[in-house]
Amino acid sequence: MAIRRISLIPHTHHDVGYTNSPRIIDRMHRRIVDRVLDLVEQDPATDPASLRWTFEAARPVASFLETAAPEQRRRFFAQLSAGRLSVTAGYLNMTQLPDAPEHDEMFRVVRALQAQGIPVRTQQHGDVNGISWGATDPMLDAGVTRLVMALNPDHGRAPFTQPSAFQWETPSGRRVFVWLSTHYGYGEEWGIVQGDVSHALPRIEEFVSALDGRDDYPFSTAVVHAGNDNRWPTRGPAAVVEAWNAKHPDLPMACETIDDALDAIQAEASTAELPVVRGEWADWWSHGHGSTAREVAVYREARTLLRQAETDFALARLAGEGGGEGEIAFSEVLGYRRAPVRLRTAAEVDADLAEVRECLLLYGEHTWGSWETYSKPHSTFSHSHHNAKSSFAYAAYDFGRDLAIEAWHRLLRVGANEPELEGRVLVFNPSPHARTETMDVEVDDGTRRVAVSATVPAFGAVSVEVPAPGEWAPAPESVAAGRYEVTVRPESGGVVSIVDRTNGRELVDGEAAWGLGAVVTEEIPSDSAHPAVTVSPKLFHPDHPGPEFVRAAASGDGPVLVRVVGPVTQLRWESALTGIQAIVSTLTITEGAPDLELAVRISKAERFAPESVHIAFPFAVRSPRFLLETAGAVFEADHEQLPDTSRDWYSVQHAIGVGGEDGGMLWGTYDAPLVQLGALHTGEWARRLVAPRGHIQSWIANNLHFTNFQARQEFTRAFRYRFRPAEVTRATVRGYAADLAQPLQPRFVRGEQRPFAAPVSVTPDDLLTEFRPAPDGGLRVRLRNPGDAPVAPLITAPAGWEVESPAEIPAFGNGEAFIRRTGS
């Protein structure tokens, strides 16, 4: 179709950092709202060159309105009513790190804006090459029916030619209209944001001519972005519009909001045959999660602590905690191993929980580093930027841990400290079903750590004796423990055999190049002729397949040690590899439990040459089918993905199911979300996933970028995993993931445990539940149905409380319940 109009969209691309410190950028985006009001008020609303503005992210607008004076609010809503402003639903330009509760929090902000009369209808993202499939249903639930992706094709591919439109089918079967726009950065590259008319007009003419020549572009509107990274608003776009209209009166251009542009495009889309696609928009940029391995692990740990705190604060209300000194053994020292010295007020709890949620979202957006992390890795600015960005994860961890400790004590109400009594481990289960798990617990006032196994009823608590230290001894060739017989060979890097003694099944692929748990590195040979090495690291890109990597696995020549304490058997071995000083791996097996736990503690030095570090899980599953947990959904790798989205690597939340001819495996990760499937695929830029075996490679670290990433990493930390043979379905994957996201809560205590009765029940018990204290003194319960059939939830609460619950939750759908004091 011939182009008959051009829609110029002034906006700024929101990076939390990159061009400047995150400390500076976050507050400046709030000031941008004021600046936009000053600019739009200068021009008459009827002139096509008059500035109109799209707020690409909702966070600055929400922050502005929270503190705006009455006159500022009047000005904002006046321009909004005049059609000069558009507020979109993306909280920030997010990665695939945030989970379903974090997406809920983002849309809570959207609903708060809508409640003030702001018509938020469109979600806009820039830069990132994907978005979690499970975010689409909450998007529609919030009344947001359109998604704009102005993605940056560096290090990735778009699912269709940019620009294009398509319908994205959600997990529930509904549809989101997607406008796959051009790279937002053309606004600066073409000189539009600077008002450089002589530079801008020829490039826009070339762009429009190309659209005119496309048979697959059924729209008469050309959308041109006028923005770039953290750009301060100016009237530059207006100069371009004026010059264009003077030169091309037959092809008018106007400054418009993204909502204006999409209204025109959707009117024509109703008669066009748009592609309909279903599945994950697997982000090519998600390898960024491996560029800050330590900080991503801290972020994920903080998220778990937040969920613990929210659950325990909420259930403590139902359990009748009054917060009095007679119920909680207060500490006289501010310390994380101790009880709280005081209890927060309800307002303080709400404020601190909100701060943790905000810090998690600020860390989960797409800016891992500054624009000079590669060109100037040792600059003070590069280090300061990394410190500022990392501080979001560490602040979330600090507050989350402190909140979780207080909430745990409120809920369990440990008796008065009596040092003459032996200490015990008190374990709480935050789930609607009974669980048996083995936990690593700090005991004896922080002097040692032990592995404790406990079976805990739904929403219940048990008290467990602290196990004896136990002694490490040389292990035989094979160790029989629980339901498994295990063989570890350090020279092969890890576990070479795990036989399930209940059925004789071998779980480890004997033909794999290295053992389960082996640490594997990838490096580019120094004599490589690949342009990513000889020209620019920016050419690590689909247009330049490769480079070839040299791979090596850690090995060791020391003994395998075994320790047996009660029902828990642990195997330990050491290995090493060039560039990695020390690797200590511990495999834990528990009598009566199907799960195996693996912790791999790695001490890694910094290295500036391109590199990757993986931990191998070569499961013996032929013709595998991989089910991956993304935020709020489960998808089948390769088969349920948008075209040309990442097959080389994936970012998961916690769990993967591997089903195939030899049976199924459930696998979960606590700390590292990035994986490769079937084999190592780095640099293949594959359009289809080739995975003949059910191998999972946990990709913990890499520096494969030319900007934004850290140029090198050093860390010492443990990466923790859990896996078991099991039936693999979407429901079992989501259930396994939920238990990893909210593990059992153990804590060493001195004193007698008071009787504890579960304050709530939820049926069916495989519903995924997230409790949160509500500001009105009640509880909010988020319910997620992991199965493929509707369910009728039933929640029971103690006397004096009433439950408002949905009658039914659809297959793979969400619902929300409220528990309030009777009569409130």
Side-chain angles (χ1 to χ4, degrees):
M1 180 180 290
I3 301 300
R4 296 195 297 270
R5 60 189 299 273
I6 301 172
S7 178
L8 192 70
I9 314 295
H11 65 98
T12 189
H13 173 61
H14 194 132
D15 288 311
V16 179
Y18 192 61
T19 62
N20 207 329
S21 167
R23 299 180 180 96
I24 304 297
I25 293 298
D26 190 49
R27 66 178 64 180
M28 290 310 294
H29 274 285
R30 290 195 292 271
R31 296 296 305 273
I32 281 176
V33 183
D34 274 319
R35 173 62 175 168
V36 167
L37 294 178
D38 291 341
L39 291 176
V40 298
E41 289 172 343
Q42 295 177 17
D43 301 324
T46 54
D47 190 329
S50 295
L51 190 68
R52 289 163 179 80
W53 192 266
T54 295
F55 293 102
E56 182 188 85
R59 174 179 164 79
V61 177
S63 299
F64 168 82
L65 292 175
E66 282 179 1
T67 59
E71 175 60 16
Q72 288 175 300
R73 291 179 62 89
R74 184 201 64 76
R75 294 171 64 206
F76 177 86
F77 282 99
Q79 297 304 325
L80 185 74
S81 298
R84 305 288 294 278
L85 308 177
S86 180
V87 181
T88 69
Y91 183 78
L92 293 166
N93 291 295
M94 308 305 292
T95 67
Q96 288 179 313
L97 284 176
D99 63 2
E102 286 171 277
H103 281 281
D104 289 345
E105 179 65 14
M106 288 184 259
F107 287 111
R108 183 198 64 77
V109 174
V110 170
R111 288 188 175 92
L113 293 173
Q114 292 167 333
Q116 298 180 67
I118 300 174
V120 184
R121 301 182 288 143
T122 306
Q123 182 159 326
Q124 181 168 327
H125 274 214
D127 243 10
V128 288
N129 276 227
I131 184 173
S132 300
W133 187 26
T136 53
D137 277 314
M139 190 185 305
L140 293 176
D141 292 340
V144 179
T145 61
R146 312 185 298 196
L147 172 66
V148 175
M149 293 288 281
L151 65 79
N152 179 344
D154 285 338
H155 287 218
R157 285 192 295 259
F160 298 98
T161 303
Q162 294 174 261
S164 291
F166 62 91
Q167 298 283 356
W168 190 8
E169 189 173 295
T170 72
S172 71
R174 296 179 290 174
R175 292 179 180 179
V176 171
F177 178 83
V178 179
W179 179 250
L180 176 60
S181 201
T182 58
H183 177 17
Y184 69 89
Y186 291 160
E188 181 164 299
E189 185 179 323
W190 294 354
I192 300 171
V193 295
Q194 305 95 314
D196 185 346
V197 172
S198 62
H199 191 66
L201 263 57
R203 282 148 187 84
I204 298 173
E205 289 166 347
E206 182 181 355
F207 172 66
V208 171
S209 176
L211 284 183
D212 271 333
R214 279 178 53 185
D215 293 334
D216 63 344
Y217 190 82
F219 307 108
S220 61
T221 297
V223 177
V224 178
H225 288 269
N228 206 13
D229 301 342
N230 299 323
R231 286 301 301 239
W232 190 246
T234 70
R235 295 195 74 256
V240 173
V241 174
E242 291 168 351
W244 177 275
N245 286 337
K247 184 177 181 181
H248 299 281
D250 56 331
L251 182 56
M253 177 187 290
C255 278
E256 293 186 340
T257 68
I258 195 65
D259 281 326
D260 294 333
L262 288 190
D263 286 345
I265 287 170
Q266 274 196 292
E268 295 179 335
S270 61
T271 59
E273 294 186 9
L274 299 183
V276 179
V277 293
R278 176 181 173 85
E280 179 79 349
W281 199 327
D283 184 8
W284 284 105
W285 279 27
S286 65
H287 64 317
H289 306 342
S291 72
T292 51
R294 179 196 290 112
E295 291 76 20
V296 166
V298 171
Y299 155 83
R300 288 167 65 88
E301 191 172 353
R303 192 171 66 184
T304 292
L305 291 166
L306 173 64
R307 304 288 173 260
Q308 290 178 356
E310 290 175 329
T311 297
D312 293 0
F313 275 120
L315 296 186
R317 289 181 181 176
L318 288 182
E321 60 92 8
E325 294 194 14
E327 295 186 343
I328 294 176
F330 287 96
S331 173
E332 294 182 351
V333 178
L334 289 165
Y336 75 88
R337 295 188 181 98
R338 295 174 164 86
V341 298
R342 63 176 287 272
L343 299 185
R344 292 167 170 85
T345 65
E348 288 173 327
V349 168
D350 288 342
D352 287 353
L353 288 173
E355 182 165 355
V356 176
R357 296 181 196 118
E358 182 179 65
C359 285
L360 289 173
L361 293 176
L362 285 166
Y363 189 79
E365 69 87 53
H366 73 298
T367 311
W368 293 280
S370 78
W371 56 3
E372 64 178 42
T373 51
Y374 269 73
S375 60
K376 301 176 183 177
H378 295 299
S379 73
T380 301
F381 173 61
S382 289
H383 284 274
S384 176
H385 187 291
H386 183 55
N387 175 276
K389 178 69 176 185
S390 301
S391 72
F392 298 132
Y394 283 104
Y397 172 82
D398 287 342
F399 281 100
R401 183 185 63 182
D402 195 55
L403 286 160
I405 291 170
E406 178 183 330
W408 187 94
H409 278 275
R410 283 176 180 255
L411 178 61
L412 277 302
R413 297 172 299 180
V414 179
N417 285 335
E418 298 182 41
E420 68 274 18
L421 294 177
E422 288 187 10
R424 294 180 65 86
V425 175
L426 194 55
V427 186
F428 173 65
N429 176 6
S431 307
H433 53 271
R435 292 166 62 177
T436 299
E437 290 179 10
T438 301
M439 300 147 282
D440 180 64
V441 189
E442 191 176 71
V443 299
D444 296 345
D445 301 320
T447 60
R448 66 188 179 101
R449 304 191 73 89
V450 296
V452 173
S453 177
T455 298
V456 193
F459 299 117
V462 299
S463 177
V464 181
E465 290 185 2
V466 176
E471 298 292 335
W472 291 100
E477 174 72 12
S478 296
V479 174
R483 63 187 274 185
Y484 301 107
E485 184 170 345
V486 180
T487 304
V488 179
R489 294 202 179 105
E491 63 271 21
S492 298
V495 183
V496 296
S497 175
I498 302 174
V499 176
D500 186 343
R501 296 194 292 166
T502 64
N503 56 18
R505 178 185 168 195
E506 173 61 68
L507 306 184
V508 180
D509 184 356
E511 298 179 8
W514 35 70
L516 186 148
V519 176
V520 181
T521 59
E522 293 183 300
E523 299 177 7
I524 301 175
S526 58
D527 60 352
S528 173
H530 192 276
V533 177
T534 60
V535 180
S536 167
K538 189 172 185 176
L539 300 180
F540 178 67
H541 187 275
D543 291 345
H544 304 275
E548 295 295 325
F549 288 87
V550 174
R551 293 169 179 137
S555 63
D557 55 11
V560 178
L561 302 178
V562 62
R563 179 172 66 182
V564 181
V565 179
V568 179
T569 298
Q570 293 181 298
L571 297 171
R572 177 168 292 179
W573 64 98
E574 297 184 8
S575 56
L577 186 62
T578 301
I580 299 180
Q581 298 95 315
I583 303 167
V584 180
S585 303
T586 304
L587 183 72
T588 300
I589 309 160
T590 303
E591 185 75 38
D595 285 310
L596 299 104
E597 305 265 357
L598 179 68
V600 183
R601 186 172 184 83
I602 299 175
S603 293
K604 178 192 176 301
E606 68 177 29
R607 185 173 184 272
F608 286 88
E611 66 168 349
S612 292
V613 183
H614 305 262
I615 298 174
F617 293 85
F619 295 125
V621 180
R622 292 170 296 171
S623 304
R625 172 177 178 251
F626 294 92
L627 293 179
L628 278 59
E629 182 215 7
T630 185
V634 171
F635 71 97
E636 183 175 356
D638 198 42
H639 299 286
E640 288 183 306
Q641 291 183 232
L642 273 59
D644 271 351
T645 54
S646 178
R647 268 81 171 170
D648 285 10
W649 53 77
Y650 298 89
S651 180
V652 301
Q653 284 299 316
H654 285 92
I656 297 174
V658 188
E661 295 177 7
D662 306 285
M665 295 293 299
L666 291 173
W667 175 91
T669 173
Y670 291 96
D671 308 293
L674 203 59
V675 297
Q676 297 189 26
L677 303 178
L680 291 175
H681 303 289
T682 318
E684 291 181 5
W685 310 106
R687 286 192 153 91
R688 305 302 307 183
L689 174 64
V690 178
R693 297 296 180 101
H695 297 189
I696 297 172
Q697 319 293 336
S698 176
W699 194 8
I700 61 173
N702 75 83
N703 61 351
L704 300 175
H705 211 337
F706 64 96
T707 185
N708 194 4
F709 285 24
Q710 298 304 306
R712 78 276 187 252
Q713 295 184 75
E714 57 78 27
F715 52 79
T716 297
R717 72 162 294 122
F719 296 89
R720 301 163 297 154
Y721 306 90
R722 179 188 296 175
F723 55 95
R724 70 162 74 151
E727 179 187 9
V728 173
T729 66
R730 295 176 197 274
T732 59
V733 171
R734 287 195 73 176
Y736 203 61
D739 287 352
L740 285 153
Q742 279 222 83
L744 296 183
Q745 301 174 20
R747 191 165 179 81
F748 175 76
V749 296
R750 294 190 184 277
E752 297 182 51
Q753 179 200 0
R754 298 187 180 190
F756 181 83
V760 68
S761 69
V762 177
T763 53
D765 67 3
D766 62 348
L767 268 179
L768 312 182
T769 60
E770 296 146 17
F771 287 85
R772 180 182 290 188
D776 63 4
L779 289 71
R780 195 194 87 176
V781 189
R782 189 70 167 164
L783 302 168
R784 304 182 195 277
N785 178 8
D788 57 3
V791 297
L794 176 63
I795 301 175
T796 63
W801 296 85
E802 56 188 7
V803 179
E804 175 189 327
S805 181
E808 186 176 84
I809 302 177
F812 307 119
N814 304 323
E816 197 165 52
F818 297 91
I819 306 176
R820 300 183 177 92
R821 297 186 188 276
T822 304
S824 64

